Amino acid sequence: GAVLLALNPFQNVRGLYGESAMKSHWQRAEQGQSSPPHVYGIADAAFRSMRRQLETNRSATVPSTISAHQSILVSGESGAGKTVTTKFVMKYLAALSQRATQQKHIAPEQRAYFKATKGAPPPSPSNMDDANLNSLTLLSGTSSIEGQVLQSNPILESFGNARTVRNDNSSRFGKFIEIQFSEQGQLVGASIETYLLEKVRLVHQSVGERNYHIFYELLGGGMDSRQLSHYFIAKTAHPEDFKLTASGTYDRRDGVTDRETYKALRHACAAMKFSNQELHSIFCVTAALLHASNLTLMEDAHNDESCCLDMTNVHLTPVCHLLGVAPEDLERALCQQTIIIRADESVTRTLSLEKAIKGLEALLKAIYGALFEYLVHRINDSVAYRDDKEGADTPPVASVRVLDIFGFESFYVNSFEQLCINYCNETLQQQFN
């Protein structure tokens, strides 16, 4: 397939992306004209290849074994612009879906994707182009499946992206998106899979980096004092007040504020039809992680090989209330280890302070990982095709699959997580090559 080498300009370039650029690319494709190298061109080629193969399979006298599915691999090192490129692909495919919706009653030989491959004369300008261009502004709405698929991005970015040395909105996970289309080329559903979430970021950030955006959005994203009180957070709270966010770096260099991204998150959650109770539970877990990072463990005065939870720590009550656990149970989980010897026999032993602290860090990472998995599952539940959905169209028969890999990185000292990330990326790269 085609290979596009794209450079991140690290600034907004007027006219390079957007509705008018989309219109220019699909018009050139429909007229059989070549376009300059562009991510829209890659997305356009994948969509039209899928449509052509579907048409060929449908008209074949003998059932075809050739699949109409298409794949796009977005690769590169950290900061190369993979996340933004993936969003451009998704927006362009959503726009083509809306055009296909308006063209589905046109005879196959008159459809735009068919003309582009048969060398038909350029189509005359029509009001349909203007209508399609104007309708693109609706893609971020909440009513269409296209809009819902696009609204998955702010949620995943809040909980899966962070500021790094190279990038202010770096995806700290890999993502595989399957965008499903009907036989008429309409986007009817989607599925998202994620892998290798960088959970170590929860407990350690390098100099000049932040933790995941959601923690800063919670602290400075626009909640009033009454709302914050539900999570035991003062209106005057600052990221430096919590170990989880006290890296010394609290803002973004790209000019985007946490208040803006928090608003985008709430809008996206509304598009996905998150209930108020769901949102409250999600923020409870997020706030509990902030408080839990401030918990203190102490050595037992009578035994150097055991420790205990500081019951006077002011963050203990918020953690237990938000997570729904008793202080004694939390202390037991952190400071003791139970070994199952037989089905009916076990041995419990105390842990040293060092091991208990490692256990607390592991707990933070496990909770956040489970929260992220829940969000991905919840998003999939909203955007998946189901024939019982109101207004459901024909079922999906083909898809364009976009793999946004985790960024390549190499440090002076590389963690085991980084080894897994780079090994996975190399394996994927070889698979697609």
Side-chain angles (χ1 to χ4, degrees), residues 158-159 205 210-225 227-229 231-247 249-251 257-263 265-266 283 286-291 293-294 315 322:
S158 285
F159 288 87
Q205 305 94 46
R210 298 202 315 177
N211 214 316
Y212 289 104
H213 294 326
I214 184 60
F215 298 112
Y216 307 90
E217 293 170 2
L218 184 64
L219 294 172
M223 282 191 183
D224 57 34
S225 56
Q227 292 171 315
L228 287 172
S229 67
Y231 311 110
F232 300 88
I233 296 176
K235 183 64 177 176
T236 56
H238 189 270
E240 66 184 4
D241 298 330
F242 300 93
K243 291 181 182 178
L244 210 66
T245 51
S247 65
T249 301
Y250 308 119
D251 59 357
T257 67
D258 296 312
R259 183 180 294 269
E260 292 171 345
T261 53
Y262 174 75
K263 288 181 179 179
L265 170 65
R266 295 302 297 259
F283 290 134
T286 306
L289 291 170
L290 285 170
H291 289 292
S293 69
N294 282 4
H315 295 277
L322 293 169

Side-chain angles (χ1 to χ4, degrees), residues 69-229:
H69 299 303
Q70 304 291 313
S71 295
I72 298 174
L73 172 65
V74 184
S75 176
E77 64 178 358
S78 181
K82 297 181 299 299
T83 298
V84 174
T85 296
T86 300
K87 288 194 287 187
F88 286 144
V89 169
M90 293 173 67
K91 287 182 179 180
Y92 191 83
L93 292 174
L96 290 183
S97 169
Q98 288 196 340
R99 284 173 59 77
T101 300
Q102 298 183 29
Q103 294 181 333
K104 66 179 180 179
H105 299 300
I106 301 176
E109 63 274 9
Q110 297 298 318
R111 293 178 190 153
Y113 76 92
F114 195 83
K115 287 183 179 181
T117 63
K118 295 297 183 180
S124 58
S126 66
N127 292 331
M128 182 180 292
D129 288 330
D130 294 333
N132 284 327
L133 180 59
N134 294 333
S135 69
L136 291 180
T137 58
L138 302 176
L139 289 178
S140 60
T142 62
S143 58
S144 67
I145 182 63
E146 291 94 344
Q148 288 187 330
V149 169
L150 295 179
Q151 286 298 332
S152 66
N153 288 315
I155 301 175
L156 293 177
E157 288 184 14
S158 285
F159 288 87
N161 288 25
R163 169 179 166 169
T164 65
V165 173
R166 297 184 178 185
N167 188 355
D168 284 85
N169 190 35
S170 177
S171 294
R172 310 315 298 162
F173 63 100
K175 164 167 89 253
F176 178 74
I177 308 168
E178 183 180 43
I179 305 174
Q180 302 160 346
F181 295 90
S182 69
E183 199 167 14
Q184 291 77 31
Q186 295 170 267
L187 197 161
V188 295
S191 174
I192 299 174
E193 294 182 35
T194 62
Y195 63 93
L196 289 177
L197 176 69
E198 188 186 41
K199 288 179 282 191
V200 71
R201 181 167 294 273
L202 266 292
V203 296
H204 174 74
Q205 305 94 46
S206 300
V207 176
E209 298 191 347
R210 298 202 315 177
N211 214 316
Y212 289 104
H213 294 326
I214 184 60
F215 298 112
Y216 307 90
E217 293 170 2
L218 184 64
L219 294 172
M223 282 191 183
D224 57 34
S225 56
R226 181 186 62 82
Q227 292 171 315
L228 287 172
S229 67

Side-chain angles (χ1 to χ4, degrees), residues 255-306:
V256 178
T257 67
D258 296 312
R259 183 180 294 269
E260 292 171 345
T261 53
Y262 174 75
K263 288 181 179 179
L265 170 65
R266 295 302 297 259
H267 181 73
C269 288
M272 295 292 175
K273 297 180 173 56
F274 279 72
S275 67
N276 289 334
Q277 182 57 49
E278 284 179 303
L279 286 175
H280 177 66
S281 297
I282 290 168
F283 290 134
C284 276
V285 174
T286 306
L289 291 170
L290 285 170
H291 289 292
S293 69
N294 282 4
L295 292 177
T296 49
L297 292 153
M298 306 180 299
E299 282 188 346
D300 192 321
H302 306 289
N303 186 353
D304 293 341
E305 293 301 317
S306 64

